[in-house]
Structure formats: C-alpha cells, structure tokens
Amino acid sequence: MGSVSEELSLVPLHQRPELLEACAKLLGEEWGKSRASRLHTLQRSSDTFPASLLLLRSRGPATAPATREGACQLVGHVRLSRVVSRPRDLFVESVVVARALRGQGYGRRLMEATERWARARGFVCLHLTTHDKQHFYAHLGFVLGEPVQSVAFLSPAMPAVVLRLFSTPPGTATTTTARPRVPSAPPPPLPPPAAPPPPPPPTVVWARGVLAESSGQSLLETPHRDTKGLPIFWMKKDI
C-alpha cells in the first residue's frame, strides 16, 4: 500500500470563502456568540487586516500534489490585526484548534505558521493576550510584555490622522501648523538636584523554567486585568 502524507497549510479565510461556515462553527464552539456575529467578523478578513488565517490539513498519497481547492480539514484559526503606532507589529487573537485535534502539536504548528506568514510580509513583532495559556506561549518564545492598542478594522472612511498611526513609525512627530513664538521671561534657576539613591539589585523570578525580571508580573502573576476584572497576561515575540 502507498504511504499517506499529511500536508498543513496556512491560508487566509478570504481566499477560501467556502470555509466561512466551518470557521464560524469552530469559533462558536470555543467562545459562543451568535452565528451572525461570528460571520460578520469573519467576513471582514482581508489582506489589509484584520486577517483570519486558517490552518488546513489535507491527506493523500505521498506522491499526490496538494491542490488549493482540494478536500481539506479545518484544523485551527488565528486572527491578526494592526497595532496603533507600531506599523511593523501585529496583534494575535482568536487562536483556536479544533477540539478533536488538540494535544497533537497543532497549536504549536499553527503559531509557527503564523509567524512565518507575518515575517514574510515584513512584520517583526507579534503581541497577544491570554488568561491561562502563558506557559504555552512562553515555550514558543513569547515573553511578558505591556499592553498595546489594536484596531480590529481599518477603513478608508477613518480620519486621516488615525490611519497615519499605522504608517508612521513610533516616535515620529506629525506636522502641525507653526505658531508665532512669543518671548517669555526666563524661569528662575532651580536648586541643584539631590543625588539619587543607588538602584536596588534586579529581582528575578523563576516560573516553570522561565526566567524573567520582576516588574510586577511573572508567568504566575500579572498586574493587568481585562474588562471583566480577570487577570490577563500580555505577551510579545520578536519574529
């Protein structure tokens, strides 16, 4: 008998619209919400973001080439959005693997494929949040980070000043109308500053084999909360 191969591919949902219903069902089984709400969100997937990416599995004889429209199984989903004032960063969310396929390494392969997809398009950093999967992401190279602001949907109808946040590197000042300079009296001299105390030695925390500087958070504790008041971990990875 000939051998059977497994081929995985990461494909944008808007290139495989026939999988829209299956994708909505996958997300609905994990997080609920109405079918109409899920379909509305998924239909916004585009090359200009947000982008819903699907991990697809196809099986067949090892010598048979995979076809783009061939029969396949939906393994997982991830959604990527732009990050305000960070034109080369992306925000990762809605990461899910089909329940029947969990525990077989597909979550890791989904994230690795997502990194390759983003890197091939010039992005250099991924951000995400998690309530309880911080150790999984740490094993993939993510580290604890600080909150960033993502935008779920970009539209030409947005004000130009907002759209510029996604094309201007951080720290670049926007042009403003010059105002005439009005001379003012010089401020009084300030007293000499007191010598600052020496900084305390850095504290490190070991959390399941991961070493991180203590800044009020670790893989076991976070100062951040979501909109419901639940602890949430912000993580990032340079790719």
Side-chain angles (χ1 to χ4, degrees):
M1 292 180 61
S3 61
V4 176
S5 65
E6 175 184 83
E7 179 178 337
L8 294 177
S9 58
L10 192 72
V11 182
L13 174 60
H14 48 279
Q15 294 181 7
R16 297 294 300 266
E18 74 277 9
L19 297 175
L20 184 63
E21 287 281 357
C23 190
K25 181 180 179 181
L26 173 65
L27 295 175
E29 291 174 349
E30 188 69 18
W31 292 293
K33 289 191 177 180
S34 69
R35 171 182 170 277
S37 175
R38 288 294 180 192
L39 289 174
H40 177 72
T41 300
L42 291 170
Q43 286 170 342
R44 289 182 169 181
S45 177
S46 73
D47 290 333
T48 57
F49 298 96
S52 287
L53 306 180
L54 310 181
L55 185 66
L56 304 179
R57 180 176 73 171
S58 58
R59 291 193 174 191
T63 57
T67 59
R68 177 180 175 273
E69 300 296 338
C72 60
Q73 180 181 12
L74 177 59
V75 175
H77 167 276
V78 62
R79 175 184 166 103
L80 299 177
S81 302
R82 301 297 298 272
V83 177
V84 174
S85 296
R86 298 173 184 259
R88 302 184 69 188
D89 293 12
L90 290 173
F91 185 74
V92 182
E93 57 187 330
S94 299
V95 180
V96 61
V97 169
R99 292 181 179 178
L101 299 175
R102 293 178 187 176
Q104 303 178 45
Y106 287 115
R108 173 182 56 81
R109 297 168 77 175
L110 171 61
M111 291 301 298
E112 290 173 348
T114 300
E115 290 178 25
R116 291 192 297 270
W117 190 92
R119 188 165 54 243
R121 286 155 181 79
F123 295 96
V124 300
C125 186
L126 299 179
H127 302 262
L128 58 80
T129 61
T130 179
H131 289 97
D132 56 5
K133 299 296 187 294
Q134 63 272 21
H135 297 286
F136 166 75
Y137 290 114
H139 283 300
L140 297 179
F142 282 79
V143 298
L144 296 171
E146 295 299 325
V148 297
Q149 182 179 357
S150 65
V151 169
F153 181 56
L154 288 178
S155 166
M158 285 184 174
V161 66
V162 175
L163 294 176
R164 278 199 298 270
L165 293 174
F166 298 92
S167 57
T168 304
T172 304
T174 56
T175 304
T176 57
T177 304
R179 297 183 179 181
R181 185 175 181 274
V182 179
S184 58
L190 298 175
T203 303
V204 295
V205 177
W206 282 97
R208 295 195 184 180
V210 178
L211 180 66
E213 290 191 6
S214 176
S215 59
Q217 62 177 338
S218 71
L219 293 182
L220 299 176
E221 184 177 359
T222 174
H224 304 298
R225 298 293 183 271
D226 65 9
T227 55
K228 297 181 180 179
L230 299 174
I232 192 168
F233 294 83
W234 285 85
M235 306 187 78
K236 66 177 182 178
K237 181 179 180 179
D238 294 329
I239 59 172

